[in-house]
Amino acid sequence: MSRTRLLLMLGASIPLAACGADEIVSPGAGGNIIINNPAPSPTPTPTPTPTPTPTPTVTAAAGCPTIQDPQGLTDAGTITSPGVGTFRVCTLPARFNVSTTLPRVTGLLYQLPGRVDVGTDRGPAPTADAAVVLTINPGVIVYGSGVAWLHVNRGNRISAVGTATQPIIFTSRDNVIGQNTETSPGGQWGGVVLSGRAQITDCRTTGATPGTINCERQVEGAVDPALYGGATNTDNSGTVSFVQLRYSGFVLSQNFELQSLTTGGVGRGTQFSRIMSFNSSDDGSEYFGGRINMKYYVAIGADDDSLDTDTGVKMNLQYALMVQRQGSGDSIIEADSDNDFDEQAPRQNTIVSNMTAIHRSTTGNGAAILLRGGTDYSIYNSIVTSTVACLRISRPITIRAAAGAPAGSEELGPPTFRSVLLGCGAAPFTGSSGVTNDQVAAIFGSGQNGNNSAYTPTLTNVFVPGANETAVTFTNAAALNADPETPAVVFFDATANYVGAFRNAEDRWYQGWVCNSSTVDFGAANTTGSCASIPAF
């Protein structure tokens, strides 16, 4: 620019081409041009530098691998993921009839063609014959569209064990081809369903006794038979660990749809840890009966509940981060014991410790936590924020003392809260269907047992604890045990004097195996990348 002005002052008669916004445009050609510099104007706000589109790095694999199941894989051609590359598509068989491993192959994705079964239903009673085991190796990506879901039948198992640097990802076709954003709702494919032989209630057969092999139920939303239930609480449906489930929740039948992860009658032999649900159109995960032990659970952006427990499940959960999208979702937690019948055993007993829950919905249940149907529920060392009520309890059976319950009901008394912080709307407590607001407040007991319903959040980056969170006296979770069938088993870790899912900013148990979004920014370096794109492992 200085050189141009020098030429002009020397009388050069040079037309100036159209330039950028900060450059000078010539008023015409010919003669000397006199430039009167105007008074300086404020420097305009710079336009943000657009994020560069990644250069595709993945080339489609030459073909589909050979697997153990004789039906094999079907080569469905290729698919392109913008900014990532091109992948070979290998379609799974409709049913795995022998134990099979899906290997990770660079430039290859696996496709669910619809409902895919692992084995056939072996019934509610234990069997000695060999189960079908589907093994999914670290870094494998499986996608589906519409009525596509994976079902592990009773008596069979899944081994979906990723790693911190190569999680297993179940997602939708739209996610693969770049049609989604970080706020796109789910409902783009079904989900993953595990059916087992542990005890349940609400039997589908009239007259069947709850908790026996005669008490079975149909997977919610399934049209074709997909049964669960039995009397074997030690049942093993496999292992799910270091897994992402994105954009799931397709409607399978009227008024019913799958979650990211659904279990039915799954026994305590099944192992769950480090599972992420992202933008499910229904619940982040739902558990129907059985015995569930899980550590490290992340549910982001569920359009219904982040955690739903039903029909007599007994569950232990430690370390959970559950965050809703702004203005979306229902409750963070919804719990029933019996959907249709009171006093059935097993009665639900769920214990949650070290939870951080960010509730942003103003519709639906009208509370971050809804407990009803006679459920027994305990929450320890946890943080809940909400723009409306934090805790709603429905029906007197849910707050009944254990001494007033019928024999054999497994009643443990009213819900329990210890070292729980509630940062809520104007009215933190609400009762319904025979329970008053004052009764709910008394059960929570603010000012007692480390509980505080007048807590002011000082969380940063959505979930990192600040001064008000670290000042709370914690409850030793190692003393808890929800299952009288295994009194010698200690499930909960003793946390070192903190509440919520994380000790501090350096506590990154999510590192590597989650995806990133505007709802919760984990830091790009700590994730597989944006949830709106698939990674190039």
Side-chain angles (χ1 to χ4, degrees), residues 308-320:
D308 199 339
T309 47
D310 298 282
T311 59
V313 66
K314 296 185 186 296
M315 180 176 188
N316 296 325
L317 172 62
Q318 188 171 23
Y319 312 116

Side-chain angles (χ1 to χ4, degrees), residues 291-314:
R291 303 292 191 270
I292 304 291
N293 293 315
M294 180 188 292
K295 286 182 178 175
Y296 306 110
Y297 171 59
V298 176
I300 307 298
D303 279 336
D304 195 358
D305 310 309
S306 300
L307 175 67
D308 199 339
T309 47
D310 298 282
T311 59
V313 66
K314 296 185 186 296

Side-chain angles (χ1 to χ4, degrees), residues 269-348:
T270 312
Q271 300 177 50
F272 298 101
S273 68
R274 294 173 171 83
I275 296 172
M276 179 185 193
S277 168
F278 181 78
N279 285 17
S280 170
S281 69
D282 199 55
D283 301 322
S285 59
E286 187 164 10
Y287 307 87
F288 294 89
R291 303 292 191 270
I292 304 291
N293 293 315
M294 180 188 292
K295 286 182 178 175
Y296 306 110
Y297 171 59
V298 176
I300 307 298
D303 279 336
D304 195 358
D305 310 309
S306 300
L307 175 67
D308 199 339
T309 47
D310 298 282
T311 59
V313 66
K314 296 185 186 296
M315 180 176 188
N316 296 325
L317 172 62
Q318 188 171 23
Y319 312 116
L321 174 65
M322 295 181 273
V323 183
Q324 294 177 328
R325 299 196 309 275
Q326 195 67 46
S328 182
D330 199 344
S331 294
I332 292 288
I333 289 175
E334 180 175 298
D336 298 87
S337 188
D338 312 308
N339 282 334
D340 299 314
F341 307 99
D342 288 344
E343 310 298 3
Q344 289 193 354
R347 182 176 299 278
Q348 179 180 167

Side-chain angles (χ1 to χ4, degrees), residues 171-192:
T171 191
S172 69
R173 182 179 182 275
D174 281 359
N175 191 200
V176 172
I177 64 175
Q179 293 297 307
N180 288 343
T181 68
E182 294 172 355
T183 59
S184 294
Q188 299 174 14
W189 68 289
V192 175

Side-chain angles (χ1 to χ4, degrees), residues 131 203 358 389 408 423 426:
C203 319
I358 311 300

Side-chain angles (χ1 to χ4, degrees), residues 350-372:
T350 293
I351 299 179
V352 178
S353 184
N354 299 100
M355 169 183 70
T356 298
I358 311 300
H359 179 251
R360 293 167 170 164
S361 173
T362 57
T363 59
N365 293 326
I369 298 171
L370 171 60
L371 307 179
R372 62 185 178 189

